[in-house]
Amino acid sequence: MFKKTYLKIVDTGVKDNLSETTRRQVRSTNIAAILSIMMLVSWIPFAFIFYVSIISNIVNFLGALSFLPIFFLNKSGRRTLAAIWLLISIYLLTLINLYLYGYESGMSLIFVILIPLPFLTIFSRVKNLAIIFSLFCCVTWILIVSFNSNFPPHLEGINSQLNLKLNVTFIGLLLSMLFFSLSNTIHHAEKFLPQEREKSDAYMVSGGLY
């Protein structure tokens, strides 16, 4: 039941008339959104246990809600906007959490995921946008690391070491799940490549290009 629901959400916005490459990018966007929501929701019980401030849970809850429009955008065919929404949401939430938890919490490690993500989600026709956003994230991360002393925690009761361990664990799981899901999607796509070539060849022949 869970697997069926998960696959149905992953396929939100995937239509039969789309190329397999476009389908992969739509699924990548949906997968990243799902895993981001799961990570934020998973943080809530830990925040209840270890942190005094309610701000942490409010940020995580609102952050999880901020990813929901991505599925509606993909469903309505606004695929590039959905990818941009995803990237900006992750970027802003990373900076907000960095401010709340501080540099030593390991929040900046999210950039390990964020830097390559544009190339998996933004479509080839606007690939320059993916390059620009990726470089922008690289520069941001370099600046954060260079001026890490300017990012102390702003929440009471923060255990930086515990926070770092939890963040590394969550980010590691997130990366594993993301690339596992993508590898399955790519493997699935490879089965349809011969069909895509046949369609392309047939179109070129019918158009008198051969």
Side-chain angles (χ1 to χ4, degrees):
M1 181 66 182
F2 173 79
K3 187 178 180 181
K4 261 188 173 182
T5 305
Y6 174 77
L7 291 175
K8 188 175 181 181
I9 297 172
V10 168
D11 281 339
T12 302
V14 176
K15 299 175 183 178
D16 294 335
N17 62 337
L18 298 177
S19 68
E20 197 55 43
T21 301
T22 303
R23 292 180 194 178
R24 177 182 60 78
Q25 289 167 320
V26 171
R27 289 189 180 109
S28 299
T29 302
N30 290 336
I31 289 168
I34 293 168
L35 296 180
S36 297
I37 292 170
M38 288 172 63
M39 181 179 178
L40 289 166
V41 170
S42 299
W43 257 111
I44 292 176
F46 286 101
F48 264 124
I49 296 169
F50 297 111
Y51 306 126
V52 178
S53 177
I54 194 72
I55 294 174
S56 174
N57 282 328
I58 293 172
V59 169
N60 287 333
F61 179 73
L62 293 177
L65 290 180
S66 72
F67 288 99
L68 295 180
I70 291 166
F71 303 107
F72 294 103
L73 290 170
N74 269 334
K75 192 171 183 179
S76 63
R78 300 175 182 177
R79 294 178 287 274
T80 301
L81 183 58
I84 293 170
W85 189 296
L86 169 76
L87 297 170
I88 292 175
S89 295
I90 296 175
Y91 181 85
L92 292 177
L93 280 167
T94 302
L95 294 184
I96 292 169
N97 283 311
L98 183 66
Y99 173 82
L100 292 175
Y101 299 112
Y103 176 79
E104 291 184 1
S105 66
M107 280 294 173
S108 64
L109 291 173
I110 293 289
F111 284 100
V112 173
I113 300 172
L114 193 53
I115 289 169
L117 195 58
F119 300 102
L120 299 172
T121 56
I122 291 182
F123 303 98
S124 56
R125 65 175 179 273
V126 285
K127 66 179 180 180
N128 288 339
L129 184 61
I131 295 169
I132 291 168
F133 190 85
S134 184
L135 288 173
F136 181 69
C137 289
C138 282
V139 172
T140 303
W141 196 17
I142 291 168
L143 290 173
I144 289 170
V145 173
S146 300
F147 300 98
N148 61 80
S149 60
N150 294 323
F151 297 96
H154 287 84
L155 291 179
E156 295 180 3
I158 293 290
N159 184 329
S160 296
Q161 286 301 313
L162 177 62
N163 214 357
L164 177 61
K165 290 174 184 177
L166 289 173
N167 270 321
V168 170
T169 302
F170 275 124
I171 292 168
L173 289 171
L174 197 65
L175 273 172
S176 299
M177 292 173 69
L178 178 63
F179 285 109
F180 176 75
S181 298
L182 287 174
S183 67
N184 281 343
T185 303
I186 292 168
H187 177 71
H188 177 74
E190 285 175 348
K191 295 179 182 179
F192 293 90
L193 281 177
Q195 297 176 23
E196 292 290 328
R197 289 196 189 98
E198 286 177 9
K199 287 180 184 178
S200 178
D201 291 344
Y203 173 77
M204 295 180 77
V205 168
S206 65
L209 297 177
Y210 281 155

